Amino acid sequence: MLRSISTQALAVSLAFGFAATTFAPAAMAASSEDSAPVTTTAAASDIKPPVAEKRPHTYTVHGITVEDPYDWLYDKSYPTVDDPDVLAHVKAENAYFEAKMAGQTALTEALFTEMRARIKEDDSTVPQKDGDYLYWSEFEEGAQYRKHYRKAVKGGKAELLLDENELAKGLEYFRLGAASISQNGRYLAYATDTNGSERYTARIKDLKTGKLLPDVIENLRGDLVWVKGDTALVYGPSTEEWRTLEAKMHVIGTPVSADVTLYKEEDQSFGVGTGLTAQEDWLIIATGDNETSEVRLVPANDPTATPILVKARKKGVEYSVDVRDGELWVWTNDDHINFRLAKAKLETPGDWQTVIAGSDDFYLTGFDLFKDFFVTEGRLNGLDQIQLRSYADPAKITPVTFPEPSYTAGLSNNPEYDMKKLRLAYQSMVTPSTVYDYDVATGALATLKTQEIPSGYDPTLYVSERLTVTARDGTQVPVSIVMRKDRAEILKKAGIEGPGPLHLYAYGAYGYAVPPGFSTTRLSLVDRGFAYAIAHIRGGDDLGRRWYLQGKLFERTNTFNDFVDVGRGLIAKGYTAEGKVTASGGSAGGELMGAVINLDPAQYGAVVAHVPFVDVVNTMLNEKLPLTPGEWQEWGNPITDKAAFAYMLSYSPYDQVTAKAYPPLMVTAGLNDPRVTYWEPAKWVAKLRELKTDDNLLVMKTNMGAGHGGQSGRWNSLKETAEEFAFILWQMGMAPKSEGE
């Protein structure tokens, strides 16, 4: 669906962290002539792993000297990567990956075929009304990308707004970013990324004529917000270091050079984002880092007016705002770790009066204002809650209830201020994605759409469990598990004796809680006898804000220990056995993979680390990199803090690689990745190749034309997942004999 990214932005989302939606970069095979003195390669039939040259390099911080002989893999001209030796090594690793995985081509294709068969190719979203139109998007059969449509509520033909397939023609990579239709319905502003660098270019389409306006805004990040009676757009330009430090306004039809800066942030660790309030009468300009917020308001019809500062920044205090009928609403952690909801007058915006007090039990994660009611969302005992409340009696809760003991649910697309039915999204580990309309007056839930699985899916064949495992410090860590009810029979037919394999996944950073949701691709492991588990480890906010804080800064190692202990706990409970645990994670979850194979390598039979944040110390020391200043609140600042440097060095996966046996490992990277730069996994793999004492397979593929999220397009992305699962099955001895080595 395509209407506006921020039509009801009560909290402005600022893009921090090494997180990403997906972690599946694709391989780019190198030609046979891509060789260089820095690597050693052979024919594909008996190719040897590339050996990166060691070049003397040391650095000294706080009196501690660190040797880093693979520092040369960091092309100092980044974001341009043109060092011949660097490129030759990366391509040699890709050639090695392709050669070693060649024997799994048939298995990869088989997995891809069954995964694709579970996807309805000609799928569409449920239309949603916004103003005079219904909006939705569609995939056509075989298409990689979506088409976006609308139709007048009063009737008429469907109108094609945007065809991503046309925009992606001839491109190796394409991703649609922000998209927003003007309030009068005349114009569509949208932004695209064509190389994975997440530096977007915005265009404006006149929906009346179907033509593009001459306006082109380049190198931007964040939202596109219509203001000033649909005559101007507010956007966030990217600095050379990939930071968003300004909110600028572009008046349609004027040169971009004349764009007005509405706000400029001086703190390099902060990021700026914009959005509209519920009634779309105020422009929100928010700035902040991972732990501190500051918000300003200006009239949407007069964005250059003197802004209202809601409350000056105070380290450790987060808040976001919305406005209803001239009254300010504030979500904040100023007096409780799990946040409270407050109100204030616009004349005294910093005088916050509590509406809903913070709670040790209920973790308030957000709120939405509507004309006749408001909604609070949060988690209770780790489970999502959707609560309707009246303005007259906010303490009275009307909860939306769901039947399953473990699930994920939340508000979906609700673009209008006066909503009589709320659009909700729901799924569990055994229940496919479901779209509901919730009747506010009656409390009735109407199912609008349930994810269709063309090849067939019977939920009664599966069982989902939620249990806890005791970590080494006594903390009870929740785990969500799904498996076949007839798992024992499947394993017996496959000739697997004893406990079966279990795949363990987690993220564990930035307060992101991995939801216990549904996955069609996951079935390709589960239907082969795997149990699939999500470890809700500290670093996420699954059990509240404190759960997150206990996995950052000087408590970061709790995250790694939790993951190791969950695996060991599941072994003790009989779900699997040592050496039969496979694991995967991406970005900060890739850091997790690097840490746990240093801590307990014997536990794992195969590990996949996507775009892994593994060179922690070097990245946090390099303030020129895009995200580093904004990340110090998450990881610590090793430049100024000796204790932070020493603690970081003690767990950084790259720095802690030692001479010992490691499990089979597949690593991915993106050459254009601005979040986790390509050299982090490249250096890590080089050091592992040097020091590991085993003969287990270690492969790395770098996507030469994409970034953090991997290949674009639904089939390209799916192919990469099939490749990942083929690696896991192969290393676990579960590939067909004709495919194994």
Side-chain angles (χ1 to χ4, degrees), residues 260-283:
V260 177
T261 297
L262 301 179
Y263 175 76
K264 185 172 183 179
E265 176 58 57
E266 299 300 330
D267 189 332
Q268 295 290 311
S269 70
F270 274 38
V272 176
T274 57
L276 293 176
T277 54
Q279 292 169 292
E280 301 186 346
D281 51 350
W282 290 90
L283 174 70

Side-chain angles (χ1 to χ4, degrees), residues 272-470:
V272 176
T274 57
L276 293 176
T277 54
Q279 292 169 292
E280 301 186 346
D281 51 350
W282 290 90
L283 174 70
I284 303 169
I285 303 175
T287 183
D289 60 17
N290 290 342
E291 62 177 13
T292 304
S293 309
E294 187 175 83
V295 177
R296 289 167 174 79
L297 295 169
V298 292
N301 63 359
D302 187 15
T304 58
T306 302
I308 298 171
L309 173 61
V310 175
K311 183 175 280 192
R313 67 191 69 179
K314 181 179 179 182
K315 186 174 176 60
V317 175
E318 298 175 67
Y319 72 93
S320 64
V321 307
D322 201 354
V323 179
R324 175 183 179 266
D325 293 342
E327 189 172 50
L328 186 70
W329 289 67
V330 184
W331 171 80
T332 181
N333 67 343
D334 63 343
D335 74 354
H336 197 285
I337 196 170
N338 278 341
F339 291 80
R340 67 169 172 139
L341 189 62
K343 291 196 300 186
K345 296 179 180 179
L346 282 174
E347 295 77 15
T348 54
D351 183 16
W352 298 345
Q353 304 299 312
T354 296
V355 176
I356 300 171
S359 166
D360 292 339
D361 299 319
F362 179 69
Y363 175 34
L364 180 64
T365 58
F367 72 105
D368 277 273
L369 301 182
F370 297 96
K371 182 175 182 246
D372 298 321
F373 61 94
F374 69 100
V375 176
T376 50
E377 292 188 90
R379 282 193 287 278
L380 189 63
N381 297 321
L383 291 177
D384 291 338
Q385 307 293 313
I386 305 171
Q387 305 170 333
L388 276 71
R389 300 174 186 258
S390 72
Y391 292 108
D393 186 7
K396 184 179 179 181
I397 300 171
T398 303
V400 181
T401 58
F402 301 100
E404 294 181 276
S406 179
Y407 60 87
T408 177
L411 291 183
S412 182
N413 182 37
N414 294 281
E416 295 188 327
Y417 180 57
D418 187 7
M419 298 289 293
K420 305 301 182 185
K421 294 182 179 180
L422 287 176
R423 185 66 51 86
L424 309 180
Y426 175 89
Q427 57 185 290
S428 76
M429 293 189 81
V430 297
T431 302
S433 176
T434 305
V435 178
Y436 292 109
D437 261 356
Y438 176 83
D439 191 307
V440 176
T442 66
L445 271 177
T447 301
L448 303 182
K449 180 180 179 181
T450 299
Q451 181 181 356
E452 185 179 335
I453 302 172
S455 61
Y457 172 72
D458 182 356
T460 66
L461 298 178
Y462 303 85
V463 60
S464 176
E465 300 176 5
R466 188 174 176 91
L467 52 90
T468 60
V469 170
T470 305

Side-chain angles (χ1 to χ4, degrees), residues 539-560:
D541 66 354
D542 308 62
L543 296 185
R545 196 66 170 177
R546 193 178 305 280
W547 197 251
Y548 158 51
L549 298 178
Q550 290 174 347
K552 66 181 289 190
L553 295 172
F554 289 100
E555 296 183 85
R556 180 61 184 156
T557 54
N558 283 336
T559 302
F560 314 139

Side-chain angles (χ1 to χ4, degrees), residues 73-85:
L73 287 167
Y74 165 24
D75 188 335
K76 303 308 186 289
S77 65
Y78 178 83
T80 300
V81 183
D82 56 7
D83 184 298
D85 288 352

Side-chain angles (χ1 to χ4, degrees), residues 591-740:
E591 177 207 41
L592 173 66
M593 296 299 101
V596 302
I597 63 173
N598 282 334
L599 293 170
D600 189 13
Q603 182 179 153
Y604 307 102
V607 173
V608 179
H610 291 297
V611 290
F613 172 46
V614 285
D615 193 9
V616 181
V617 175
N618 279 307
T619 294
M620 290 297 102
L621 285 171
N622 191 345
E623 55 190 318
K624 293 181 180 179
L625 293 179
L627 294 173
T628 294
E631 295 298 317
W632 288 329
Q633 290 73 29
E634 188 75 19
W635 311 96
N637 185 344
I639 299 173
T640 61
D641 188 339
K642 182 178 181 180
F645 174 79
Y647 184 68
M648 217 174 275
L649 192 64
S650 75
Y651 70 75
S652 173
Y654 172 66
D655 296 287
Q656 292 303 314
V657 172
T658 59
K660 61 185 171 189
Y662 285 89
L665 181 63
M666 174 180 168
V667 183
T668 68
L671 197 69
N672 297 330
D673 190 344
R675 297 175 184 262
V676 176
T677 49
Y678 76 88
W679 61 83
E680 292 202 42
K683 289 172 62 178
W684 182 47
V685 168
K687 192 171 184 180
L688 282 166
R689 291 206 191 285
E690 175 197 355
L691 295 177
K692 74 190 191 79
T693 60
D694 58 86
D695 294 323
N696 291 327
L697 183 61
L698 169 58
V699 291
M700 183 181 79
K701 60 172 184 175
T702 300
N703 192 315
M704 306 299 281
H708 197 64
Q711 284 246 13
S712 62
R714 57 175 174 165
W715 307 131
N716 293 338
S717 177
L718 197 66
K719 189 65 173 284
E720 292 175 337
T721 303
E723 197 170 51
E724 173 189 347
F725 285 10
F727 174 83
I728 291 171
L729 292 169
W730 176 29
Q731 296 307 306
M732 295 301 290
M734 297 174 68
K737 289 184 179 180
S738 60
E739 306 297 338

Side-chain angles (χ1 to χ4, degrees), residues 150 159 186-187 204-213:
R150 74 177 179 185
E159 175 186 356
R186 171 77 182 265
Y187 300 105
I204 302 167
K205 183 178 180 180
D206 185 336
L207 299 177
K208 185 176 182 180
T209 66
K211 303 295 184 181
L212 289 174
L213 301 186

